[in-house]
């Protein structure tokens, strides 16, 4: 097993149903990653199994209580320690999915794919009692500047972005290295059969069989697309002298 991810949530079914599908589901079946969803409610020991309560101070809404989350976290740590293959690892890297966190990027997902284990906390209601965040959370990650109802969808986005970069999950590393954002550029346009559709032809170079020319075309198209669609990331890319010359030629 290469990696273990534990998700703390009050909607385990929602997470598990997504995790069963597609590439992540296959990676779990092939034991390239172990993902466990833990119901925070199992650690709410009052008679109504309440995981939320009203906030202190004036204000609307409910907040997730600290104690059930903390007990759930402790239980995960115990489970991780018990499993032989993880006994020397540090299970305490907890990520809280939050609209207040740093926005998720491909680079961040790549770094997290190198961890042995991660624990992800999904909030709900108005969020989570600040004290448990201070106690266990190392990092807050957002999936964008908008507010969702709960941390489950963001957690699933994060897990998907990480798992596809675990070695062996995709057929080759090239699959994700060629994709948008990995190198700092967007991916070139792609085509499949037939070569002529609605009077639109696949670019000749792609049918030429000349691998060197195709490689150059792909790089040029990546640069042009990024310039056109995402000038904000284009300006941060580290171009070689040759690439700069090509771009300047296009701008003339
Ligand atoms: N009151 C919080 C605030 O204004 O910062 C928002 C709470 S939100 C309704 C409930 C939960 O959804 C959060 O605790 C967080 O786990 C999750 N969440 C919402 N939007 C998110 C986003 N953009 N990225 C990551 N998690 C998000």
């Amino acid at each position: 097993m290469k990696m273990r991810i534990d998700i703390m949530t009050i909607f385990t079914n929602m997470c598990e149903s997504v995790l069963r599908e597609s590439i992540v589901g296959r990676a779990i079946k092939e034991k390239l990653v172990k993902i466990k969803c833990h119901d925070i409610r199992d650690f709410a020991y009052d008679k109504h199994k309440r995981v939320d309560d009203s906030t202190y101070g004036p204000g609307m809404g409910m907040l997730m209580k600290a104690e059930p989350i903390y007990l759930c976290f402790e239980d995960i740590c115990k489970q991780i320690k018990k499993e032989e293959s993880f006994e020397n690892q540090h299970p305490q890297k907890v990520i809280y999915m939050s609209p207040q966190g740093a926005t998720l990027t491909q680079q961040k997902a790549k770094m997290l794919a190198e961890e042995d284990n991660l624990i992800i906390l999904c909030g709900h209601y108005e969020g989570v009692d600040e004290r448990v965040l201070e106690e266990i959370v190392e990092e807050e990650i957002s999936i964008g500047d908008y507010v969702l109802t709960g941390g489950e969808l963001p957690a699933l986005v994060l897990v998907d972005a990480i798992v596809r970069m675990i070695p062996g999950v995709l057929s080759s590393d090239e699959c994700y290295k060629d994709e948008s954002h990995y190198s700092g550029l967007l991916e070139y346009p792609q085509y499949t059969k037939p070569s002529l559709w609605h009077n639109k032809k696949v670019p000749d170079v792609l049918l030429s069989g000349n691998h060197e020319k195709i490689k150059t075309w792909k790089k040029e198209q990546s640069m042009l697309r990024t310039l056109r669609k995402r000038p904000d990331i284009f300006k941060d890319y580290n171009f070689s002298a040759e690439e700069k010359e090509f771009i300047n030629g296009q701008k003339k």
Side-chain angles (χ1 to χ4, degrees):
M1 186 69 64
K2 294 199 170 125
M3 187 182 196
R4 171 179 172 138
I5 302 175
D6 292 89
I7 303 177
M8 293 194 268
T9 169
I10 52 171
F11 292 102
T12 50
N13 288 344
M14 179 177 174
C15 296
E16 282 162 356
S17 64
V18 173
L19 295 170
R20 273 196 293 273
E21 304 294 335
S22 190
I23 286 179
V24 176
R26 207 175 58 219
I28 294 172
K29 268 196 202 132
E30 289 173 4
K31 299 197 182 330
L32 295 168
V33 61
K34 179 174 187 169
I35 308 181
K36 283 189 85 176
C37 300
H38 306 263
D39 192 344
I40 297 168
R41 211 174 285 283
D42 291 344
F43 300 88
Y45 292 120
D46 71 310
K47 69 175 182 209
H48 301 294
K49 289 210 157 269
R50 280 187 67 179
V51 289
D52 61 306
D53 212 330
S54 52
T55 53
Y56 279 111
M60 300 273 287
M62 308 298 274
L63 204 63
M64 288 182 79
K65 288 155 72 75
E67 187 65 0
I69 292 172
Y70 189 72
L71 294 176
C72 181
F73 164 72
E74 279 196 323
D75 189 65
I76 294 169
C77 292
K78 267 189 224 144
Q79 286 184 30
I80 293 173
K81 276 196 193 128
K82 243 199 256 163
E83 289 185 24
E84 225 182 292
S85 51
F86 289 101
E87 70 181 357
N88 296 321
Q89 315 294 336
H90 305 285
Q92 65 274 20
K93 179 145 183 108
V94 178
I95 294 169
Y96 171 46
M97 301 314 301
S98 163
Q100 301 180 16
T103 309
L104 179 61
T105 61
Q106 190 72 21
Q107 297 318 312
K108 180 70 193 173
K110 173 78 185 123
M111 280 166 63
L112 292 174
E114 282 155 23
E115 296 281 343
D116 293 311
N117 35 57
L118 295 173
I119 301 174
I120 303 175
L121 169 61
C122 305
H124 211 76
Y125 313 108
E126 281 300 306
V128 173
D129 187 312
E130 194 65 25
R131 292 166 296 181
V132 73
L133 299 179
E134 287 166 10
E135 192 100 349
I136 66 170
V137 170
E138 191 175 315
E139 192 169 353
E140 296 190 10
I141 295 182
S142 164
I143 60 160
D145 289 343
Y146 42 81
V147 173
L148 299 171
T149 309
E152 285 72 20
L153 293 174
L156 293 166
V157 167
L158 177 63
V159 167
D160 190 297
I162 292 172
V163 169
R164 48 192 286 114
M165 282 191 282
I166 295 175
V169 170
L170 299 182
S171 53
S172 122
D173 288 1
E174 298 311 311
C175 297
Y176 64 79
K177 286 188 176 164
D178 257 10
E179 279 177 321
S180 299
H181 300 295
Y182 187 86
S183 69
L185 293 175
L186 302 181
E187 195 179 50
Y188 44 83
Q190 303 207 74
Y191 305 86
T192 184
K193 295 174 188 70
S195 60
L196 185 66
W197 179 81
H198 280 207
N199 224 15
K200 290 174 193 285
K201 225 174 146 270
V202 171
D204 286 339
V205 62
L206 295 178
L207 309 172
S208 70
N210 183 329
H211 291 261
E212 212 37 55
K213 271 193 180 162
I214 293 174
K215 200 171 152 202
T216 308
W217 180 86
K218 284 181 173 178
K219 185 69 196 238
E220 291 173 354
Q221 291 298 316
S222 270
M223 292 190 285
L224 291 174
R225 288 214 132 177
T226 313
L227 173 63
R228 186 161 47 82
K229 292 188 178 185
R230 290 292 303 273
D232 56 323
I233 59 173
F234 182 85
K235 71 176 169 33
D236 295 332
Y237 187 75
N238 204 359
F239 293 100
S240 67
E242 211 178 305
E243 288 166 352
K244 272 187 196 151
E245 204 183 308
F246 168 76
I247 290 293
N248 290 336
Q250 296 293 312
K251 283 179 179 167
K252 276 177 199 157

